[in-house]
Amino acid sequence: MGDVGDMQPWPSAQDRPGRPQGGWQPAQQNPGYATMRAAHTDRDRTVDVLKAAYAEGRLSAAEYSARFDLANQAQTYGQLAQLVADLPSGPMPGPMPGLSPVPPGPPVPSTFLAPARPANNNGAAIASLVLGLLCVPSLGTLAVPALVTGHLARRQIRRTQEGGDGMATFGLVMGYLSLAGWSLAFFLVLLSLVTHY
């Protein structure tokens, strides 16, 4: 790898042939590509780039959070490209002409990206796990709290990308099993009363 002095500066807008002055305008330079509708996988690629940049210290927590929200709301390739234009890798597997100020290169394999920091476990998911475990010794009396915290945790995890989805699922399973046990016991008691009288 050469010294920094060997690197050629990127030409200015005046030196680049065919480049309009006054900044990048995706609708004029590449209207077909920049305005093309993005898919879920394209948004996921963009989020992966943002996670890697956050893990490497290129983005602060506030910047990562803001860009993460915008990536999930983006509708076109152009909107996704603007979110990672100042980062080493873009959201598309191939080069995106006219969307990045750096010369396009081969896509970076996901195995070379720095792993994202492990997400913290959601508090409601932990509560759902504990309540689910206590359903058996409490004879199912904690089933409803386990279900409430489990559903709350899964809703929060989808929004915040925290960990703990397995804990919430376990709490939900134990809660539903406890409710099923109480329902069966109630039905048997009711049946015995009907047949007795």
Side-chain angles (χ1 to χ4, degrees):
M1 190 171 186
D3 296 333
V4 176
D6 298 336
M7 298 177 63
Q8 297 297 322
W10 187 255
S12 63
Q14 292 83 359
D15 300 332
R16 279 177 266 173
R19 276 291 179 99
Q21 298 185 15
W24 170 65
Q25 301 174 359
Q28 295 177 4
Q29 291 186 12
N30 199 347
Y33 198 80
T35 59
M36 189 179 298
R37 302 283 292 187
H40 294 304
T41 54
D42 302 316
R43 296 184 191 92
D44 291 340
R45 289 191 196 104
T46 303
V47 170
D48 289 340
V49 173
L50 295 175
K51 286 181 180 178
Y54 176 65
E56 294 167 355
R58 300 178 192 274
L59 296 175
S60 67
E63 290 173 322
Y64 169 74
S65 177
R67 293 191 192 197
F68 177 85
D69 292 338
L70 291 173
N72 286 321
Q73 298 170 7
Q75 298 296 320
T76 64
Y77 284 155
Q79 293 171 341
L80 292 175
Q82 288 177 349
L83 295 174
V84 294
D86 58 343
L87 299 177
S89 179
M92 301 299 122
M96 299 178 65
L99 297 182
S100 176
V102 296
V108 180
S110 59
T111 54
F112 294 114
L113 293 175
R117 296 176 182 174
N120 294 328
N121 288 327
N122 181 273
I126 297 173
S128 180
L129 172 66
V130 172
L131 292 170
L133 290 172
L134 293 176
C135 278
V136 174
S138 66
L139 300 178
T141 56
L142 297 176
V144 174
L147 291 174
V148 171
T149 54
H151 284 295
L152 177 65
R154 297 196 70 181
R155 189 179 306 115
Q156 291 176 352
I157 288 170
R158 282 195 297 270
R159 180 168 41 88
T160 62
Q161 302 296 314
E162 291 178 296
D165 187 62
M167 298 179 183
T169 302
F170 179 82
L172 288 172
V173 170
M174 294 301 295
Y176 281 120
L177 287 176
S178 299
L179 280 184
W182 274 105
S183 300
L184 180 61
F186 178 76
F187 176 75
L188 292 176
V189 169
L190 187 63
L191 184 63
S192 65
L193 290 175
V194 170
T195 54
H196 185 266
Y197 294 103

